[in-house]
Amino acid sequence: MDLSGISGKCRIGTAMRQIDFTNTQVASSETARNINRGVVLNLIRKRQPISRADLARVSGLQRSTVSLITEQLIREKWVVYGPTGRLPRGRRPTFLRLNDRRTILVADLRPTEITVAVADVNGRFLSHQAFPTPADPQSALAELIARIRHLVEVHSELIFEGIGISVPGRFDPLTNHIVFAPNLHWPAFDLKAPLEKATGMRVDLENAANACVLAEVWFGHAEKVRDIVVVTISEGVGTGIFANGQLARGRAGMAGEFGHVPLDPSGPKCTCGGRGCWEVFASNRAALRYYHEESSAADGPTFQDLLSLADAGDALATRALERMAHAIGRGMRMVVAGLAPEEIVIVGDVTRQWKKLGPIVEAEVSAATLIGNPPRVRPAFAEPGMARLRGTVALVLQKHFGPSGYASPVRSRASERVRVRAQ
Ligand SMILES: [Zn+2]
């Protein structure tokens, strides 16, 4: 059985199953069937509208296998018939596309604002609303439930697949709690179970930086990249790691907290309780602090103001942002030395000034590269809010689609026979 290229971990049905490469018997007929179903779904997603013949040609699967899978997907309302194709002669092929009435409810939970939206399977947003983040998790939960119920009621024509939420902290799948969200100032709490109970839908939560990684891999320009790190820069500094074609979550979902590694233990205090963390020097708040250190103004600007001031040629604002860019680049040295990614993607309003600040970050990263070329450092494909929301769409969908572009079909004749019998 050719398993090359199949991601080591694929999400199947509602449970996540680990494929153990040391024991190929684990790749049962059900696993093979689900991998191939994911491959076909992803091909339809990326190349729609697409004919069955092209699906077979591109995937390398037999025509009969493709037909069985697509019929099942049509029955389950994941896929619908698209426009009829035109060929110079012969039969007109019927094209397939994703059913854009299948949708996902997504929320982006941030320290100041919560956004709730409805997106279709292609990551297109059908509705979008925001409200200020309440001071306590119970009020936030009540507000979320009310808004989600309302959206489901208003969009009765849609099929809702589930709820995805991006959080400014880490989600511990063992306890279902959002843990380590120092900028949110909430205690550890369970948002998942009460929300699932109230809505009857499955709820998936993910760290904001991890959500941005999924957005890049699913909807951005990083489909073929297997090692990518996303650095989110806002009130804090978050890092999402995609290594070997998979999200790295670590124990209690805590992998990627480079933002809280102290670069200077005698530096300013951090919200995590430590001192001189990368975040304290490289976040939006750090840039505002740099500005205040030199400015005599009593009322300080917001970070957006700071960007506009720099745009208008203000020397203090420019200097503050440059100091921030040096700190971003210096912290990235940990990421480069530890993970050797092909790409580092920055998500944050700071990328509005990328033309001026990008070269500073790149120079810092270059200076720390041990051998070969430094990784490519670039702004994200989508603007920050959109990246987090799109990532949560991918979070919910990956249960059905598998890990995006990394899976190869299981092509052995034996496995196809098993699969056909099992249909
Ligand atoms: Zn810290």
Side-chain angles (χ1 to χ4, degrees):
M1 183 178 292
D2 173 20
L3 287 171
S4 60
I6 297 171
S7 175
K9 189 188 275 181
C10 70
R11 283 167 174 265
I12 293 158
T14 50
M16 190 151 70
R17 181 172 307 185
Q18 199 86 29
I19 297 176
D20 180 356
F21 290 105
T22 60
N23 178 4
T24 50
Q25 286 179 340
V26 177
S28 65
S29 61
E30 189 201 349
T31 307
R33 195 164 64 242
N34 279 305
I35 289 172
N36 289 345
R37 177 191 148 101
V39 168
V40 170
L41 256 177
N42 267 310
L43 276 177
I44 297 173
R45 178 171 78 83
K46 288 172 190 167
R47 300 188 180 218
Q48 60 190 324
I50 182 169
S51 68
R52 287 187 175 95
D54 281 343
L55 279 173
R57 187 178 54 77
V58 179
S59 67
L61 289 166
Q62 290 176 8
R63 285 284 288 268
S64 56
T65 307
V66 168
S67 286
L68 282 169
I69 294 174
T70 52
E71 275 161 27
Q72 188 188 8
L73 291 172
I74 289 167
R75 271 200 310 277
E76 292 173 6
K77 297 190 168 64
W78 279 98
V79 168
V80 291
Y81 291 111
T84 306
R86 291 185 187 282
L87 291 175
R89 65 184 113 140
R91 266 199 321 155
R92 283 172 151 199
T94 305
F95 285 105
L96 300 169
R97 61 180 169 84
L98 293 185
N99 180 5
D100 51 21
R101 283 181 53 218
R102 213 172 239 281
T103 54
I104 299 97
L105 283 150
V106 286
D108 177 23
L109 177 51
R110 298 192 67 193
T112 50
E113 195 176 73
I114 297 176
T115 305
V116 183
V118 178
D120 70 18
V121 279
N122 293 306
R124 278 189 296 256
F125 290 93
L126 313 174
S127 135
H128 200 267
Q129 52 183 271
F131 59 96
T133 305
D136 65 287
Q138 287 312 323
S139 313
L141 178 67
E143 183 77 32
L144 266 176
I145 290 171
R147 286 180 186 252
I148 285 171
R149 280 183 174 155
H150 178 70
L151 281 169
V152 172
E153 220 174 278
V154 189
H155 293 287
S156 56
E157 78 285 6
L158 302 176
I159 308 164
F160 289 99
E161 180 54 31
I163 300 171
I165 303 179
S166 146
V167 295
R170 298 283 161 177
F171 175 67
D172 182 351
L174 282 180
T175 62
N176 271 351
H177 277 52
I178 296 174
V179 294
F180 194 66
N183 292 310
L184 198 54
H185 306 294
W186 288 356
F189 62 98
D190 180 2
L191 196 60
K192 183 178 161 77
L195 200 52
E196 284 184 339
K197 196 164 169 234
T199 61
M201 277 185 266
R202 184 189 157 110
V203 176
D204 287 292
L205 291 105
E206 189 52 272
N207 166 261
N210 285 354
C212 292
V213 171
L214 290 175
E216 277 295 324
V217 175
W218 271 65
F219 302 112
H221 300 309
E223 275 191 351
K224 297 218 159 55
V225 180
R226 290 181 63 82
D227 294 284
I228 181 173
V229 171
V230 167
V231 179
T232 57
I233 297 166
S234 56
E235 291 88 349
V237 173
T239 308
I241 303 166
F242 197 70
N244 253 335
Q246 286 182 48
L247 262 186
R249 287 198 171 80
R251 189 170 58 82
M254 286 294 288
E257 284 300 337
F258 288 104
H260 293 287
V261 175
L263 298 185
D264 175 5
S266 59
K269 248 192 141 195
C270 179
T271 48
C272 73
R275 270 189 183 280
C277 298
W278 182 20
E279 169 169 316
V280 166
F281 299 108
S283 62
N284 295 358
R285 282 199 302 229
L288 293 176
R289 193 179 70 243
Y290 298 144
Y291 182 83
H292 283 297
E293 280 172 12
E294 294 193 48
S295 162
S296 51
D299 273 346
T302 63
F303 188 71
Q304 300 289 343
D305 297 337
L306 201 68
L307 292 169
S308 304
L309 280 169
D311 261 341
D314 182 282
L316 287 190
T318 304
R319 211 156 41 234
L321 289 170
E322 284 173 0
R323 282 178 73 185
M324 176 191 186
H326 279 290
I328 292 171
R330 274 199 298 277
M332 276 180 188
R333 294 175 175 195
M334 297 184 280
V335 174
V336 177
L339 298 164
E342 292 163 62
E343 283 196 327
I344 299 177
V345 175
I346 319 268
V347 177
D349 291 330
V350 68
T351 56
R352 267 177 51 195
Q353 288 276 338
W354 195 248
K355 269 202 179 120
K356 288 182 204 158
L357 304 179
I360 298 175
V361 177
E362 282 163 8
E364 290 284 356
V365 171
S366 269
T369 303
L370 299 172
I371 54 161
N373 294 325
R376 187 172 167 227
V377 184
R378 64 170 173 90
F381 167 69
E383 59 92 14
M386 209 45 97
R388 289 188 295 268
L389 288 172
R390 280 234 172 100
T392 55
V393 173
L395 177 70
V396 174
L397 288 180
Q398 67 176 1
K399 294 193 296 289
H400 298 278
F401 286 70
S404 188
Y406 300 94
S408 297
V410 179
R411 266 188 285 235
S412 84
R413 286 185 183 283
S415 74
E416 288 211 24
R417 276 202 301 276
V418 169
R419 181 178 47 255
V420 171
R421 270 209 309 274
Q423 289 288 326

